[in-house]
Amino acid sequence: MIPPPGGRQQRTPVPLRSKEGRPRPVGAIKDKGRQLHEIERVPYEDAFLISDLLTTRTTLLAGEPKAGKTLLSAGMGIALLNGEPTFLGLPVHRRIDHIVYGLTDDGAAEELKERLDGAVPDGSVTIFPVRDAGDSGYWKGIYEDLADIRPGLFVLDNMLGALAPNEDISSPVTAQRFGHSLRPITDMGIPVLVVTHTPKGTAEGISVASSPIGGRAIAAGARGIITLRNSGKRGRRIEVKMNRAREDLNLDVTVRQASVTSEVPVWERAKPQIKAVDMPKAKPWEEVLAARIIEEQPEETTYRPLAQRYAPTVGKSVETVRQKLRDALEYIDGRWTRRVSQST
């Protein structure tokens, strides 16, 4: 069969009823299945907005309260909107013109303004409050607006505030429902970044980058998971588990304000600290000299001439050297050896 313009083969429609007249089940393999050659290829560079960090599908950004999640999402947004070549040293694969933020926390819009104002082009950011996600028509309205705006990224900050009343984030049913709510957005070609939480502290056993609240049930709906940690001793650290990533990232990072009057975040890789290494203590000069004499076995057979020979090499007086050698060496059977009290 010769494929039509666009490269895709047309498939013969499958009748909705069997020969016996019974309705065919919708969603069967013959209805929804595609041959491998019919699936569009997505190169690595098209699978990521920021290499190994932010996908073009759904990315989950998790962290403890006050870890800096909104600051990180703002930092990535600044890099994308300004077409910067890298973010935290990672290649930025696509410049975008518009980001839509759906915010759930009270006062979040004002905070985001301070972190983006003056750092991104005018008209490049739209912010709206997420209020009643439990309404059956709520997400449908969001899809329609996003389809009209066509932003380069949709950021939902945060997931807890976008749950319907009485929904439990730890429930697989909630996770599935939430994943289905976001899928139509990525199906439109709009990448999604979802900000959520990990439990505070380490008592809950949180040790890997796949531990947002809700665990695997929530993580399963995302192509990648970014976990931002902020410990007092080590500082901030970004851990990433990502489908199609060339490497799993584990980065020590810092964030600072652009200036004393600006809350715009500036993210950087943390410079590795040079660890102080305890150097072994040098051996006393008399021990080094005694070992040398035992090895060289000079012709001198008494202490004074021996001291006269080696005093210039150690920068000490003859008498000082003689006293040290008397304590360390003795001449026995034609050889200089260590005194018995020294040979331990």
Side-chain angles (χ1 to χ4, degrees):
M1 180 183 294
I2 300 175
R8 294 186 178 180
Q9 291 185 354
Q10 294 180 343
R11 303 195 339 248
T12 303
V14 178
L16 296 179
R17 292 181 176 273
S18 66
K19 292 181 180 180
E20 294 78 14
R22 293 191 300 270
R24 284 178 49 81
V26 177
I29 295 174
K30 290 184 179 180
D31 294 326
K32 302 294 184 180
R34 289 180 293 169
Q35 295 292 318
L36 182 63
H37 67 272
E38 296 178 298
I39 299 173
E40 184 179 355
R41 180 178 178 271
V42 179
Y44 170 86
E45 291 76 11
D46 292 340
F48 290 91
L49 293 177
I50 302 175
S51 186
D52 291 353
L53 183 67
L54 184 60
T55 76
T56 52
R57 301 293 295 184
T58 298
T59 307
L60 205 62
L61 169 56
E64 295 179 5
K66 311 302 180 183
K69 300 181 295 296
T70 302
L71 289 173
L72 182 56
S73 69
M76 290 189 286
I78 291 169
L80 291 165
L81 290 170
N82 289 323
E84 296 177 7
T86 62
F87 178 73
L88 291 176
L90 305 169
V92 175
H93 294 297
R94 185 187 306 177
R95 182 187 183 279
I96 63 177
D97 296 322
H98 200 159
I99 298 178
V100 171
Y101 286 87
L103 305 181
T104 64
D105 290 349
D106 186 34
E110 290 75 15
E111 288 182 9
L112 187 61
K113 176 179 174 62
E114 295 303 319
R115 288 156 181 174
L116 296 179
D117 194 32
V120 297
D122 291 342
S124 62
V125 173
T126 298
I127 300 171
F128 77 96
V130 177
R131 289 289 181 262
D132 187 9
D135 186 336
S136 59
Y138 188 80
W139 282 104
K140 184 176 182 296
I142 291 177
Y143 304 150
E144 292 173 352
D145 289 343
L146 290 175
D148 183 52
I149 298 172
R150 304 299 301 182
L153 178 66
F154 172 60
V155 180
L156 179 61
D157 187 358
N158 60 67
M159 183 170 64
L160 289 177
L163 298 181
N166 300 319
E167 281 191 316
D168 179 4
I169 192 172
S170 300
S171 166
V173 175
T174 298
Q176 187 178 44
R177 198 278 305 167
F178 197 82
H180 287 168
S181 296
L182 298 176
R183 182 66 178 271
I185 302 175
T186 56
D187 285 346
M188 287 189 284
I190 301 172
V192 174
L193 175 63
V194 181
V195 179
T196 188
H197 294 84
T198 59
K200 188 173 182 180
T202 58
E204 295 83 355
I206 302 305
S207 60
V208 296
S210 57
S211 301
I213 294 177
R216 293 185 181 91
I218 293 295
R223 295 290 295 174
I225 304 169
I226 306 168
T227 301
L228 178 63
R229 307 188 185 283
N230 186 16
S231 69
K233 293 182 179 180
R234 186 169 177 179
R236 282 187 170 89
R237 187 169 82 258
I238 293 174
E239 299 175 16
V240 184
K241 299 292 183 182
M242 196 76 60
N243 287 1
R244 293 196 67 182
R246 289 173 175 166
E247 64 175 321
D248 289 336
L249 301 176
N250 192 336
L251 309 176
D252 290 324
V253 297
T254 62
V255 61
R256 57 179 174 83
Q257 293 184 345
S259 69
V260 294
T261 59
S262 171
E263 295 182 28
V264 173
V266 178
W267 286 87
E268 297 170 319
R269 293 269 191 107
K271 295 180 180 179
Q273 296 182 350
I274 300 176
K275 294 183 178 179
V277 178
D278 293 333
M279 299 297 292
K281 293 182 179 180
K283 290 184 178 180
W285 65 267
E286 61 268 27
E287 290 186 18
V288 176
L289 179 57
R292 178 180 174 182
I293 292 171
I294 291 172
E295 180 181 355
E296 295 179 354
Q297 291 297 322
E299 60 185 15
E300 289 81 3
T301 60
T302 58
Y303 295 111
R304 180 164 290 280
L306 190 63
Q308 290 173 338
R309 178 185 180 116
Y310 285 102
T313 65
V314 295
K316 305 291 183 180
S317 69
V318 172
E319 185 58 26
T320 297
V321 173
R322 187 185 69 83
Q323 292 176 0
K324 293 294 185 181
L325 293 180
R326 282 181 63 89
D327 295 336
L329 302 175
E330 57 184 342
Y331 193 74
I332 301 175
D333 297 333
R335 290 184 61 82
W336 288 103
T337 62
R338 288 191 180 274
R339 289 189 178 277
V340 176
S341 60
Q342 299 293 323
S343 56
T344 56

